Amino acid sequence: MHENASRPVGNGQPGTSRTRDILIALGVSSLAFAIRLGHLLSLRESPFFDLLPGGDSFTYYEWGKTIAGGEWLGTEVFYQAPLYPYFLGLVSSLGAPGLWEIRLVQALLGSMACGMLALAATRWFSSSWVGLIAGGLLALYAPAIFHDALIQKSVLDLFLLCLLLWILSANLDRSRLGLHFMAGLTLGAMILTRENAALLGLAIGAWIFLARPARARSRWTRLAVFSGAVLLALSPVALRNWSVGDEFHLTTSQLGSNLYIGNNPRANGTYESLVWGRGDASVESTDARVLAEEELGRPLSPGEVSDFWTTQALDYIHSD
């Protein structure tokens, strides 16, 4: 190992530094929560506070209510990332079904993310000041405050990303298999809310493998533990999709349609629905299936629908 486990972080003695850094993180989280609570209280005065907009927010909320009502398994292969609706279902099933309670829980998660970022930045840069600045900037960052109050999965994206950075930073002093396992579980959870987070696995896996001098066997062990934890986090969803749809989908079946939406003759860098005027998550999967079946002239499974749109996107990319 290139660093000693007792390396001081910042100035002063290791124990004193750790205590100070924890207090800084708690202070940052408290500040972040106070700001987010104030934001929610100001929004509560609006007559639109309890009115859900359409699109993903409505779909997620209704999906969460269905889960809280006892339909935990569902009947179809997931088309959208499932972790956030299950989070909503869990919060609702614990006796907090209203939008106020959900937003309050989200404000708490967003505040915790600020504290974890402060701790992670302190370790990454060996400076308590850097941790304070990083966590403080996130606590005051207006878009983060805004998004924590929305019924959107971005609140989990930020929380899980900061948690992942915090866990990885703990490996700077000493490589521990338990931390690699926790990092893998956290990344797996991120993939279940934002599928393209899987790309982070390549960078993190390379870092784990190459971070410090070690025997080849040790390198492969670390990588195997991390990768296995990612797959462990994804396995319940993959098994569930297989159970209800008789197809293997590690997360969702929307790869093809998403790829085509971003890569087609009408693509302009913004979201354009497959059928004009129907850019709602509740109908996008149906439109993708109906259009593909009309083109091929036969019923298609979710995997076949995704394959159809993937082929369309790749053909366009190749031709352009």
Side-chain angles (χ1 to χ4, degrees):
M1 289 178 225
H2 66 288
E3 296 184 68
N4 187 276
S6 62
R7 171 181 60 85
V9 178
N11 300 318
Q13 297 300 316
T16 304
S17 297
R18 282 194 291 268
T19 301
R20 182 181 64 242
D21 295 336
I22 291 173
L23 290 176
I24 288 174
L26 290 175
V28 166
S29 293
S30 299
L31 172 65
F33 184 72
I35 294 172
R36 283 154 177 76
L37 180 59
H39 176 58
L40 288 180
L41 290 173
S42 68
L43 289 179
R44 203 173 188 182
E45 301 300 319
S46 168
F48 303 106
F49 183 80
D50 292 317
L51 180 64
L52 270 176
D56 287 351
S57 294
F58 181 80
T59 301
Y60 288 143
Y61 185 68
E62 292 298 313
W63 188 356
K65 288 201 303 184
T66 300
I67 293 170
E71 294 186 32
W72 286 84
L73 188 62
T75 59
E76 298 178 346
V77 171
F78 288 136
Y79 182 77
Q80 286 185 290
L83 185 59
Y84 183 64
Y86 276 84
F87 161 77
L88 293 178
L90 177 62
V91 173
S92 297
S93 66
L94 293 177
L99 291 177
W100 166 256
E101 292 83 2
I102 291 172
R103 286 171 167 146
L104 196 61
V105 172
Q106 292 186 171
L108 180 61
L109 291 181
S111 303
M112 292 171 62
C114 298
M116 290 188 293
L117 180 62
L119 289 172
T122 295
R123 283 189 171 273
W124 283 110
F125 294 94
S126 301
S127 169
S128 300
W129 279 107
V130 172
L132 175 61
I133 293 171
L137 285 175
L138 182 58
L140 300 171
Y141 187 52
I145 299 168
F146 174 75
H147 280 278
D148 284 347
L150 298 181
I151 306 301
Q152 286 287 352
K153 62 184 181 180
S154 54
V155 64
L156 291 187
D157 296 340
L158 181 61
F159 174 80
L160 291 170
L161 179 59
C162 291
L163 176 60
L164 180 60
L165 289 172
W166 181 36
I167 293 171
L168 292 176
S169 72
N171 268 312
L172 292 173
D173 292 333
R174 185 178 62 185
S175 180
R176 285 163 283 188
L177 292 181
L179 289 174
H180 296 318
F181 184 78
M182 292 171 60
L185 290 180
T186 304
L187 179 60
M190 280 189 66
I191 295 170
L192 292 178
T193 186
R194 186 78 63 178
E195 292 98 317
N196 56 10
L199 295 175
L200 287 175
L202 300 177
I204 295 172
W207 180 76
I208 287 174
F209 189 78
L210 301 172
R212 52 175 49 83
R215 292 175 289 121
R217 183 175 180 179
S218 176
R219 293 178 186 273
W220 286 109
T221 299
R222 296 197 304 253
L223 184 60
V225 168
F226 170 73
S227 303
V230 174
L231 294 176
L232 181 63
L234 299 178
S235 60
V237 172
L239 291 173
R240 179 260 176 208
N241 285 337
W242 181 273
S243 174
V244 301
D246 293 324
E247 288 186 334
F248 179 76
H249 295 275
L250 201 56
T251 55
T252 67
S253 64
Q254 64 171 308
L255 171 63
S257 53
N258 268 358
L259 189 64
Y260 180 80
I261 287 171
N263 299 274
N264 68 77
R266 296 183 295 111
N268 60 13
T270 64
Y271 176 79
E272 291 284 345
S273 57
L274 295 171
V275 177
W276 189 86
R278 287 170 59 85
D280 193 295
S282 62
V283 296
E284 183 184 289
S285 60
T286 301
D287 290 341
R289 176 181 55 80
V290 169
L291 291 172
E293 288 179 346
E294 288 178 351
E295 181 70 21
L296 298 180
R298 60 182 177 87
L300 300 175
S301 68
E304 291 173 326
V305 172
S306 182
D307 290 343
F308 170 82
W309 291 110
T310 298
T311 300
Q312 296 294 309
L314 294 178
D315 287 347
Y316 168 72
I317 293 171
H318 182 264
S319 66
D320 190 11

